[in-house]
Amino acid sequence: MKKSHLTETRFSNLELSDSIIKGLKDAGFINCTPIQEKSLPLSLRGKDIAGQAQTGTGKTATFLLAAFQHLINDDSEKIKNPRALIVAPTRELAIQIHKDAVQLSSYLNLRFALIYGGTDYKKQLDKIKSNVDIIIGTPGRIIDFYKQNAFTLNNIQVMVLDEADRMFDLGFIKDIRYLLRRMPPPEKRLNMLFSATMSYKVTELAYEHMNNPVVVKIETEEVTSKSIKQIAYCPANEQKIPLLLGLLKQHQPQRSIVFVNTKRSAEQLNNYLQANGYKTALLSGDVPQDMRQRLLNDFQESKLTLMIATDVAARGLHIPDVSHVFNYDLPQDVEDYVHRIGRTARFGASGEAISFICEEYAYSMPDIEAYIGEKIPVQSISEELLAKDIKQPTSRPPRKPSQDKRTGKPRRKPSRPPASAPESPQ
């Protein structure tokens, strides 16, 4: 982290236990970010917080540290079943919060359950039944297990809602209210809510289910970080791939994400980049969860340095050292632009966001510029910048039929039953 993006306040000067401070030092956290400096002194004294801050400003550590300290302070009577619930809108964000929680609590005797949909149902159910202290997860799977009486919300002492605005976007707000109404009343727990935007809906939720929260806003006048250099090009559709290849060659990004709007566009681009020598990861909504996590881990560990992603990856992921974000397709939602480019310049680092104003999505740019309150400089496309001798993706050869191990002959596909055949019983 650059020193200029940290405050003079040290974690060691806050009311945090020695065990927490030790975990922070191991993680390299010495000085607070602005959201931590403003929020932690309040939450550590039991005040509810409704925080608005840009992505990558340290809000995850803010609510984790406050939750840990609150549970430590009230550990005199050992309570069965979870004492804290942290709810996130996406499984990627839940996974990242859990990862940070494990790291920062390395000297604490706290047990976590990570709960999200799409995979590991039995494993997660067994974990949540094992008397954990903190549940971290997405609303649907949490409610599923709650209705099975796998755990109770009667003993919740800390409640956290992360990216509350995204909860509304994804239609989770009824689920959130369902959970909140089954906890002890707001005045009997510590409540923290964080959101990129403090809309009327988010504010209403805060005051309805929290105990007179203190609103903490950080850099609300800046929609996008000043650490991100934003530029744009206006390619014809047939220039997009040559331009991207040329820019990748010119910039040699340390780690980059290329955002597209559709799965089809992602697959086409992935094929071109691989044909031209780039090792890529493709992240879209229908990638199985296990595969998605494997790709993200490879990307975070620099086994892969170029990711092609739809907006499933635009929010809730902490991937350090992303030097460049490319908007190969301009997003159709202005907020998605901010969340996409926020994948770079995290925790005070600098980064570049390069957008293509192509024929298909050019109409989005005026709305984006109006939303962020600034014009994005457009650079001309020189012939030198466009890649030459681009290799075309090779079409996949037809799959060979699998062989029967016993006979060595190709297996025959089972013949389909006639249309009139009765369905087998379920």
Side-chain angles (χ1 to χ4, degrees), residues 159-175:
M159 183 281 298
V160 178
L161 293 182
D162 197 13
E163 296 202 351
D165 51 346
R166 192 65 166 163
M167 300 283 191
F168 280 99
D169 294 344
L170 296 174
F172 287 142
I173 206 58
K174 285 185 178 178
D175 291 342

Side-chain angles (χ1 to χ4, degrees), residues 98 112-116 119-130 132 141 145 290:
H98 178 262
F112 304 95
L114 174 60
I115 307 300
Y116 56 86
T119 186
D120 293 338
Y121 191 91
K122 179 69 165 57
K123 184 179 175 182
Q124 292 179 14
L125 184 58
D126 290 343
K127 181 67 176 178
I128 209 169
K129 286 180 174 179
S130 66
V132 297
R141 182 61 66 91
F145 289 160
D290 292 344

Side-chain angles (χ1 to χ4, degrees), residues 93-118:
L93 181 55
I95 290 166
Q96 186 58 52
I97 293 169
H98 178 262
K99 183 178 178 182
D100 292 343
V102 170
Q103 181 186 34
L104 294 176
S105 66
S106 54
Y107 296 98
L108 304 174
N109 186 27
L110 293 174
R111 290 156 298 178
F112 304 95
L114 174 60
I115 307 300
Y116 56 86

Side-chain angles (χ1 to χ4, degrees), residues 70-367:
H70 192 83
L71 297 185
I72 291 172
N73 292 346
D74 202 24
D75 200 31
S76 55
E77 182 182 347
K78 196 62 183 173
I79 298 173
K80 188 179 180 182
N81 290 312
R83 295 185 289 146
L85 181 67
I86 300 172
V87 187
T90 65
R91 51 192 167 192
E92 287 83 11
L93 181 55
I95 290 166
Q96 186 58 52
I97 293 169
H98 178 262
K99 183 178 178 182
D100 292 343
V102 170
Q103 181 186 34
L104 294 176
S105 66
S106 54
Y107 296 98
L108 304 174
N109 186 27
L110 293 174
R111 290 156 298 178
F112 304 95
L114 174 60
I115 307 300
Y116 56 86
T119 186
D120 293 338
Y121 191 91
K122 179 69 165 57
K123 184 179 175 182
Q124 292 179 14
L125 184 58
D126 290 343
K127 181 67 176 178
I128 209 169
K129 286 180 174 179
S130 66
N131 195 24
V132 297
D133 297 288
I134 300 175
I135 294 174
I136 301 166
T138 52
R141 182 61 66 91
I142 291 172
I143 289 176
D144 183 354
F145 289 160
Y146 175 77
K147 287 182 175 179
Q148 294 186 49
N149 296 318
F151 66 96
T152 177
L153 294 170
N154 295 344
N155 302 316
I156 294 295
Q157 298 169 18
V158 181
M159 183 281 298
V160 178
L161 293 182
D162 197 13
E163 296 202 351
D165 51 346
R166 192 65 166 163
M167 300 283 191
F168 280 99
D169 294 344
L170 296 174
F172 287 142
I173 206 58
K174 285 185 178 178
D175 291 342
I176 295 301
R177 286 198 163 101
Y178 176 90
L179 293 169
L180 291 169
R181 286 168 181 157
R182 282 154 180 80
M183 298 179 189
E187 60 272 15
K188 293 191 175 180
R189 59 178 197 248
L190 174 66
N191 305 283
M192 291 173 281
L193 173 151
F194 288 88
S195 184
T197 57
M198 200 61 68
S199 65
Y200 173 78
K201 288 181 179 179
V202 173
T203 305
E204 183 183 45
L205 180 72
Y207 285 104
E208 181 184 352
H209 291 284
M210 299 172 74
N211 183 27
N212 296 320
V214 179
V215 177
V216 177
K217 294 187 178 183
I218 302 296
E219 296 177 355
T220 53
E221 72 281 0
E222 293 178 40
V223 178
T224 58
S225 170
K226 289 179 180 176
S227 302
I228 304 172
K229 179 185 176 183
Q230 300 175 71
I231 61 172
Y233 294 92
C234 296
N237 283 345
E238 64 270 15
Q239 289 180 310
K240 290 178 74 173
I241 285 173
L243 179 58
L244 179 62
L245 289 168
L247 289 169
L248 288 170
K249 184 177 180 181
Q250 181 190 74
H251 288 271
Q252 297 287 314
Q254 172 185 352
R255 192 179 291 163
S256 59
I257 304 177
V258 182
F259 282 106
V260 295
N261 289 347
T262 66
K263 176 193 169 191
R264 182 179 179 183
S265 181
E267 290 173 342
Q268 179 192 41
L269 185 56
N270 188 53
N271 291 340
Y272 265 100
L273 289 172
Q274 290 191 352
N276 286 273
Y278 288 94
K279 193 176 180 183
T280 59
L282 175 58
L283 195 67
S284 61
D286 62 348
V287 173
Q289 181 63 23
D290 292 344
M291 171 73 76
R292 186 182 306 182
Q293 276 310 116
R294 191 157 60 247
L295 292 175
L296 287 171
N297 289 338
D298 287 348
F299 191 62
Q300 289 176 325
E301 294 169 9
S302 294
K303 295 176 184 176
L304 296 163
T305 58
L306 181 57
M307 178 180 287
I308 302 160
T310 56
D311 282 306
V312 70
R315 294 189 67 164
L317 296 180
H318 168 52
I319 301 172
D321 304 323
V322 173
S323 59
H324 292 73
V325 167
F326 295 90
N327 284 306
Y328 184 81
D329 297 331
L330 275 181
Q332 295 166 289
D333 185 317
V334 292
E335 290 190 9
D336 285 337
Y337 176 82
V338 175
H339 298 311
R340 284 182 182 188
I341 72 171
R343 297 308 94 205
T344 188
R346 294 176 70 81
F347 296 107
S350 59
E352 287 195 46
I354 301 172
S355 298
F356 290 1
I357 309 173
C358 67
E359 300 166 36
E360 190 173 359
Y361 298 109
Y363 66 87
S364 294
M365 185 51 82
D367 292 338

